[in-house]
Amino acid sequence: MKHLLSPLDLSVEELDDLLNLADRIVADPKKYSHCCDGKKLATLFYEPSTRTRLSFEAAMLNLGGSVLGFASADSSSASKGESVSDTIRVISCYADICAMRHPKEGAPMVAASKSSIPVINAGDGGHQHPTQTLTDLLTIRSLRGELGNLTIGLCGDLKFGRTVHSLIHSLIRYENVKFVLISPKELRIPDYIREDVLDANNIEYVEVEQLEDVMPKLDILYMTRVQKERFFNESEYLRMKNFYVLNAQKMQLAKPDMYVLHPLPRVNEISVEVDDDPRAAYFRQAQYGVYVRMALIMTLLEVEVN
Amino acid sequence: MKHLLSPLDLSVEELDDLLNLADRIVADPKKYSHCCDGKKLATLFYEPSTRTRLSFEAAMLNLGGSVLGFASADSSSASKGESVSDTIRVISCYADICAMRHPKEGAPMVAASKSSIPVINAGDGGHQHPTQTLTDLLTIRSLRGELGNLTIGLCGDLKFGRTVHSLIHSLIRYENVKFVLISPKELRIPDYIREDVLDANNIEYVEVEQLEDVMPKLDILYMTRVQKERFFNESEYLRMKNFYVLNAQKMQLAKPDMYVLHPLPRVNEISVEVDDDPRAAYFRQAQYGVYVRMALIMTLLEVEVN
Amino acid sequence: MKHLLSPLDLSVEELDDLLNLADRIVADPKKYSHCCDGKKLATLFYEPSTRTRLSFEAAMLNLGGSVLGFASADSSSASKGESVSDTIRVISCYADICAMRHPKEGAPMVAASKSSIPVINAGDGGHQHPTQTLTDLLTIRSLRGELGNLTIGLCGDLKFGRTVHSLIHSLIRYENVKFVLISPKELRIPDYIREDVLDANNIEYVEVEQLEDVMPKLDILYMTRVQKERFFNESEYLRMKNFYVLNAQKMQLAKPDMYVLHPLPRVNEISVEVDDDPRAAYFRQAQYGVYVRMALIMTLLEVEVN
């Protein structure tokens, strides 16, 4: 029995296998349209997340399976005081695999320890969101052809953004990856990433405050949202907020084969004028998210298609 | 790519085609039970509406397709500040067609402009609700054999009732349609319908306050709810409220082949004693609503069955 | 047309047929995986109950059917003032069978009287929850081989627990069933069960306060939750609460072939240390709940598999 709780649960080899399967699905989705016939996915969302939930549901439906579950804790037995351990044991009677989003860190891990079906962590508080990382990796590899030999710009809230941390963790396993960390001082990457991950592995990186300065170097620009309330004071916020808004003007500084990613939803950190730029890849990223989840479900259910 | 945003998006010919397809589905539903196998409908309900949502879901399931979505804005990404334009671009990666209900007028139109899948307006505020109109038209045509040569009574709140306005707009395209507009003064049909639609097209109509007076003339009686809070004063409400309650006594005045429609839900404007009258067609109308949505989904997805 | 509104709607013969069908499903679930292809179950949950709802949904999906519905009254037309009678008439146009949970006693019966599809009562207030009873009966019969010749311990809140009352009603129809009623005085079985059901049918039973005293005699121990707020005073609660917590120590007193059931969710009335005891059957019970609902849906839809 295998679960997916953290992006690093998968070795580089396992990840390659998963992304290769995703590539085969992208190339011929029809071939996989019945491989999970009769299988059921439970979506246990103790915290609403329409995008992630629907991405999982679309993935399972694309494989011929079906879906049951709940979209928020209000309509779950959690309100009756049931533990996650008990819930997963019951859900194991109802479904073949489950995707769990929970506001408490570690809840999917607790569930996995008692589950007789594979558990996918669909986000646990600020902790992990491994299928977002898989989505990011498939998107980058599909657009650039490889996960190594890249200069990756990470822009915005690098302190609290769990997707950014997971992406760094995953990408340092590939050769010749350099990071450009673009953020206000208050939202710089935390020490346990800078020192324990980047420095400890001799990864090349720079930290800057302005996006414009580094645009020409980037192969990938991964944008995230900068929430106003993260800043220490209003004047700092006003001084810097435009540094982190990607617009057509800044895009002119970028390479022709640079791609922009964003985990979505965006608020205003990418101007809508950028949407029509062929390098804007954030909506394609949502599509890759479905394909990588199809590959993940197949892998965890040990379903094979010849 | 075609969407359905307003009832008038369809020409008379397109509407005939749609209703003819619905007729063929009514005659042999099994024949269509796999024509959308592998297709997915997204139901994006930013405002709850069980009846409309389930009617769409039943329609898609009857065609062999599957369904994903959300039933209220609470469990959607709207609460994270995402625009409808962004949401629809992501949903386009998850589904083949979508039905959107939104409290803001025009939201489905904005969505359609950015969507790569067909968007069906499932109700936008007080504005449009085109699949209700299609339901009404299929019901009338099925029960009476044609959409022309009819005297249609519209009863209740003719001022705010969007279904009534859409029905008038649609029916004036057929020959020899006469309207009997039955409402309290405060809730009469607005000028932009009376003058710009009825008068401008030389449509025959009368406006009356009492339902009983006109019952014998009607071929169709379309009932709507009169909400107490719409009246200017309590005494007016008390004086008139019974004018607009359909009961067995009033039904005795009607022709034997007159049919009663209602968009539902009803509260008390039709007595339950009328339910068993063979001319009470409002529950059959709900059934026609499923068939016409099946025809609509097939049409927008360009699915054909020989 | 048949509905399931009360556990006693089924005669002993009909119940035997249903449980026999469930046995055949347990033995070869794949054989039944397409017998409801094209059929739709509506889950109308006016009150949230994830476990029950998902159990019904899993059952229908296992039979090849599909599911639509709502998980709470907020997202239903009930908030617009529609009666259950009207709702079910509309739902009859959308689905082939429905499971209804409602906070008001008798609501499913009202629905059934107007429905053109089978209605399953999935819990109406504190009144009935017949599919829980069917689940309990299938579990007991599967584990013990028969429903007669058993000593059944019922422990906890015997006053308000509807599942306990239904179980007594159902089991007295079998030969040589004895009850051991274990509860605090405040939560003893009500007179209308003790006198009108047990005494009137000459059923053997004892009433005790301590679980430990009677453990060695039991063939089945059916645990329920004792809610603190049910007690008249705090000191009574403190004196007795441990009487009703099942732990490994108490399990040592039980027969090797005694089984523990619980309708779930549990809070703390069964220690987690008991979960690994092979006699702990409450999670298997959840699995039997799916099988018995599969048998019920097939029976009400009159679907047969050779």
Side-chain angles (χ1 to χ4, degrees):
Chain A
M1 168 64 50
K2 275 197 282 179
H3 306 285
L4 182 72
L5 302 173
S6 146
L8 298 178
D9 284 357
L10 298 169
S11 69
V12 172
E13 290 69 30
E14 288 171 323
L15 182 60
D16 282 350
D17 287 346
L18 184 78
L19 298 182
N20 290 340
L21 174 56
D23 282 349
R24 294 197 299 276
I25 295 172
V26 171
D28 186 5
K30 266 207 121 137
K31 194 173 162 187
Y32 298 83
S33 63
H34 288 288
C35 71
C36 287
D37 275 5
K39 302 284 185 187
K40 284 163 287 151
L41 166 73
T43 49
L44 311 180
F45 278 60
Y46 289 88
E47 188 177 62
S49 175
T50 311
R51 181 184 314 283
T52 303
R53 181 171 60 82
L54 296 185
S55 183
F56 272 108
E57 298 191 7
M60 190 50 158
L61 294 172
N62 285 348
L63 297 169
S66 51
V67 176
L68 45 77
F70 51 87
S72 72
D74 313 335
S75 51
S76 84
S77 292
S79 54
K80 294 181 188 164
E82 183 173 68
S83 70
V84 165
S85 303
D86 275 17
T87 298
I88 196 67
R89 287 192 179 207
V90 173
I91 295 296
S92 296
C93 303
Y94 298 167
D96 301 287
I97 186 167
C98 97
M100 177 183 286
R101 163 151 310 201
H102 203 286
K104 279 199 197 141
E105 291 187 15
M109 191 183 297
V110 171
S113 72
K114 292 293 184 184
S115 180
S116 55
I117 59 172
V119 174
I120 302 170
N121 179 359
D124 58 335
H127 191 224
Q128 301 283 3
H129 188 9
T131 57
Q132 180 64 51
T133 306
L134 295 180
T135 299
D136 299 341
L137 294 173
L138 178 63
T139 307
I140 295 172
R141 203 181 81 157
S142 298
L143 296 172
R144 298 287 319 193
E146 61 177 336
L147 289 169
N149 303 309
L150 294 172
T151 298
I152 315 269
L154 301 165
C155 177
D157 178 355
L158 307 187
K159 186 170 181 184
F160 299 101
R162 64 182 168 185
T163 59
V164 163
H165 302 172
S166 293
L167 195 56
I168 291 172
H169 268 291
S170 296
L171 284 171
I172 60 163
R173 304 194 291 182
Y174 296 87
E175 283 193 14
N176 193 27
V177 170
K178 297 170 194 163
F179 292 100
V180 180
L181 307 169
I182 309 140
S183 74
K185 264 182 219 139
E186 292 94 334
L187 297 175
R188 283 172 66 188
I189 206 97
D191 288 346
Y192 65 85
I193 301 283
R194 189 186 304 99
E195 291 166 17
D196 303 350
V197 181
L198 294 173
D199 291 343
N201 290 284
N202 291 314
I203 307 297
E204 206 178 316
Y205 68 94
V206 290
E207 294 189 271
V208 300
E209 259 199 352
Q210 288 212 31
L211 177 54
E212 268 150 318
D213 300 345
V214 295
M215 279 298 272
K217 298 182 198 165
L218 305 178
D219 297 314
I220 292 288
L221 171 58
Y222 195 97
M223 295 292 296
T224 66
R225 189 146 48 108
V226 180
Q227 291 169 284
K228 188 177 168 178
E229 56 273 26
R230 299 291 196 199
F231 282 86
F232 291 143
N233 63 63
E234 177 84 11
S235 65
E236 274 293 272
Y237 174 72
L238 290 174
R239 183 174 73 85
M240 288 195 296
K241 67 173 178 169
N242 289 325
F243 291 7
Y244 307 106
V245 174
L246 184 62
N247 54 22
Q249 201 185 345
K250 286 183 190 132
M251 285 299 284
Q252 287 181 350
L253 305 169
K255 292 185 193 171
D257 61 348
M258 189 274 299
Y259 290 99
V260 182
L261 273 65
H262 190 298
L264 304 181
R266 73 161 156 192
V267 180
N268 56 7
E269 58 279 9
I270 302 178
S271 299
V272 291
E273 66 191 18
V274 178
D275 294 357
D276 296 326
D277 191 305
R279 295 168 293 181
Y282 29 94
F283 294 119
R284 271 173 284 171
Q285 196 178 352
Q287 181 68 70
Y288 285 119
V290 177
Y291 289 125
V292 89
R293 286 180 179 96
M294 290 169 74
L296 178 64
I297 290 169
M298 286 180 64
T299 301
L300 292 177
L301 287 178
E302 296 178 27
V303 168
E304 288 185 20
V305 171
N306 299 319
Chain B
M1 168 64 49
K2 275 197 283 177
H3 307 285
L4 183 71
L5 303 173
S6 148
L8 298 178
D9 283 358
L10 298 170
S11 67
V12 172
E13 291 69 32
E14 287 171 325
L15 181 60
D16 282 349
D17 287 347
L18 185 78
L19 298 182
N20 291 340
L21 175 55
D23 281 349
R24 294 196 300 275
I25 295 172
V26 170
D28 188 5
K30 266 209 120 135
K31 194 173 162 186
Y32 299 83
S33 64
H34 288 289
C35 70
C36 288
D37 275 5
K39 303 283 186 189
K40 283 163 287 152
L41 166 72
T43 49
L44 311 180
F45 277 61
Y46 289 89
E47 188 176 62
S49 175
T50 312
R51 182 185 313 285
T52 303
R53 180 171 60 82
L54 296 186
S55 183
F56 272 109
E57 298 191 8
M60 190 52 158
L61 294 171
N62 285 348
L63 298 169
S66 51
V67 177
L68 46 76
F70 51 86
S72 72
D74 314 334
S75 51
S76 83
S77 291
S79 54
K80 293 180 189 166
E82 184 173 67
S83 70
V84 164
S85 302
D86 275 17
T87 299
I88 197 67
R89 287 193 178 206
V90 173
I91 295 296
S92 297
C93 304
Y94 297 167
D96 301 287
I97 186 167
C98 97
M100 176 184 287
R101 162 149 314 199
H102 202 287
K104 280 198 197 140
E105 291 187 14
M109 191 183 299
V110 171
S113 72
K114 293 293 184 184
S115 179
S116 56
I117 59 173
V119 174
I120 301 169
N121 179 358
D124 58 335
H127 190 223
Q128 302 284 4
H129 188 9
T131 57
Q132 180 64 52
T133 306
L134 295 180
T135 299
D136 299 341
L137 295 173
L138 178 62
T139 307
I140 294 171
R141 203 180 83 157
S142 298
L143 295 172
R144 298 286 322 192
E146 60 178 336
L147 289 170
N149 303 308
L150 294 173
T151 298
I152 315 270
L154 300 166
C155 177
D157 179 355
L158 307 187
K159 186 171 182 184
F160 299 102
R162 64 182 168 186
T163 58
V164 163
H165 303 171
S166 293
L167 195 54
I168 291 173
H169 267 292
S170 296
L171 284 171
I172 60 163
R173 305 195 291 182
Y174 295 87
E175 283 193 13
N176 192 28
V177 170
K178 297 169 195 163
F179 292 100
V180 179
L181 307 170
I182 309 140
S183 75
K185 265 182 220 142
E186 291 94 334
L187 297 174
R188 282 171 66 189
I189 207 97
D191 288 347
Y192 67 85
I193 301 282
R194 189 186 304 99
E195 292 164 16
D196 304 350
V197 181
L198 295 174
D199 292 343
N201 291 283
N202 290 314
I203 306 298
E204 206 179 314
Y205 68 93
V206 290
E207 294 190 270
V208 300
E209 260 199 353
Q210 287 213 32
L211 176 56
E212 268 149 319
D213 301 345
V214 295
M215 279 298 272
K217 298 182 199 165
L218 305 178
D219 298 315
I220 292 288
L221 171 58
Y222 196 97
M223 295 293 296
T224 66
R225 190 147 46 109
V226 180
Q227 290 169 285
K228 189 176 168 178
E229 56 275 25
R230 300 291 197 199
F231 282 86
F232 291 144
N233 63 63
E234 177 85 10
S235 65
E236 274 293 273
Y237 175 73
L238 291 175
R239 182 175 74 84
M240 288 193 297
K241 66 173 178 168
N242 288 325
F243 292 7
Y244 308 106
V245 174
L246 184 63
N247 55 23
Q249 202 185 344
K250 286 182 191 134
M251 285 299 284
Q252 286 182 352
L253 305 170
K255 291 184 193 172
D257 61 349
M258 190 273 298
Y259 289 99
V260 182
L261 273 65
H262 189 299
L264 303 180
R266 72 162 155 193
V267 180
N268 57 5
E269 58 278 8
I270 302 178
S271 299
V272 291
E273 65 190 18
V274 178
D275 295 357
D276 296 326
D277 191 305
R279 296 168 294 180
Y282 30 93
F283 293 119
R284 271 173 284 171
Q285 195 178 353
Q287 181 68 68
Y288 284 118
V290 177
Y291 290 125
V292 88
R293 286 180 178 96
M294 291 170 73
L296 178 64
I297 291 169
M298 286 180 64
T299 302
L300 293 177
L301 287 177
E302 297 178 26
V303 168
E304 288 184 18
V305 170
N306 299 319
Chain C
M1 168 65 49
K2 275 197 283 177
H3 307 286
L4 183 71
L5 302 173
S6 148
L8 298 178
D9 284 357
L10 297 169
S11 68
V12 172
E13 291 69 33
E14 289 171 324
L15 182 59
D16 282 350
D17 287 347
L18 185 80
L19 298 181
N20 291 340
L21 174 56
D23 282 350
R24 294 197 300 275
I25 295 172
V26 171
D28 187 4
K30 266 208 122 135
K31 195 174 162 187
Y32 299 83
S33 64
H34 288 288
C35 71
C36 287
D37 276 4
K39 302 283 186 189
K40 284 163 287 154
L41 166 73
T43 49
L44 310 180
F45 277 60
Y46 290 88
E47 188 177 63
S49 175
T50 311
R51 181 185 312 286
T52 303
R53 180 172 61 82
L54 296 186
S55 183
F56 272 108
E57 297 191 7
M60 190 51 158
L61 295 172
N62 285 348
L63 296 169
S66 51
V67 177
L68 45 76
F70 51 87
S72 72
D74 314 335
S75 52
S76 85
S77 292
S79 53
K80 294 180 188 165
E82 183 172 69
S83 70
V84 164
S85 301
D86 276 17
T87 299
I88 196 67
R89 286 191 179 208
V90 173
I91 295 296
S92 296
C93 304
Y94 298 167
D96 301 288
I97 186 168
C98 97
M100 177 184 286
R101 163 150 312 201
H102 203 286
K104 278 197 197 140
E105 290 187 15
M109 190 183 300
V110 171
S113 72
K114 294 293 184 184
S115 179
S116 55
I117 60 173
V119 174
I120 301 169
N121 180 357
D124 57 337
H127 189 223
Q128 302 284 5
H129 188 8
T131 57
Q132 179 64 51
T133 306
L134 295 180
T135 299
D136 299 341
L137 296 173
L138 178 63
T139 307
I140 294 171
R141 202 180 83 157
S142 298
L143 296 171
R144 298 286 320 193
E146 60 178 337
L147 289 170
N149 304 308
L150 294 173
T151 298
I152 315 270
L154 301 166
C155 177
D157 178 354
L158 307 187
K159 186 171 181 185
F160 299 101
R162 64 181 169 186
T163 58
V164 163
H165 302 170
S166 293
L167 196 55
I168 291 173
H169 268 291
S170 296
L171 284 170
I172 61 163
R173 305 195 292 182
Y174 296 86
E175 283 194 13
N176 192 27
V177 171
K178 297 170 195 162
F179 293 100
V180 179
L181 307 170
I182 309 140
S183 74
K185 265 181 221 142
E186 291 94 334
L187 297 175
R188 283 171 66 190
I189 207 96
D191 288 346
Y192 65 86
I193 301 282
R194 190 186 303 99
E195 292 164 17
D196 303 352
V197 181
L198 295 173
D199 291 343
N201 290 283
N202 291 313
I203 307 297
E204 207 180 315
Y205 68 92
V206 290
E207 294 190 89
V208 300
E209 260 199 351
Q210 287 213 32
L211 176 55
E212 267 150 317
D213 300 345
V214 295
M215 279 297 272
K217 297 182 199 166
L218 304 178
D219 298 315
I220 294 288
L221 171 57
Y222 195 97
M223 295 293 296
T224 65
R225 189 146 46 109
V226 180
Q227 291 169 284
K228 189 176 170 180
E229 55 273 28
R230 300 290 197 199
F231 282 87
F232 293 141
N233 63 62
E234 178 85 11
S235 65
E236 274 295 271
Y237 175 73
L238 291 173
R239 183 175 73 84
M240 287 193 297
K241 65 173 180 171
N242 288 326
F243 291 8
Y244 307 105
V245 174
L246 185 62
N247 54 22
Q249 202 184 345
K250 287 182 191 134
M251 285 299 283
Q252 287 182 351
L253 304 169
K255 292 184 192 171
D257 60 350
M258 190 273 298
Y259 290 99
V260 183
L261 274 65
H262 190 296
L264 302 180
R266 71 161 157 194
V267 178
N268 57 6
E269 59 278 7
I270 303 178
S271 299
V272 292
E273 67 190 19
V274 177
D275 295 357
D276 296 325
D277 191 304
R279 294 167 295 179
Y282 30 94
F283 293 119
R284 271 173 285 171
Q285 196 178 353
Q287 181 68 70
Y288 284 118
V290 177
Y291 290 126
V292 89
R293 286 181 178 95
M294 292 170 72
L296 178 64
I297 290 169
M298 287 181 63
T299 302
L300 292 177
L301 288 178
E302 297 178 26
V303 168
E304 288 185 17
V305 170
N306 300 319

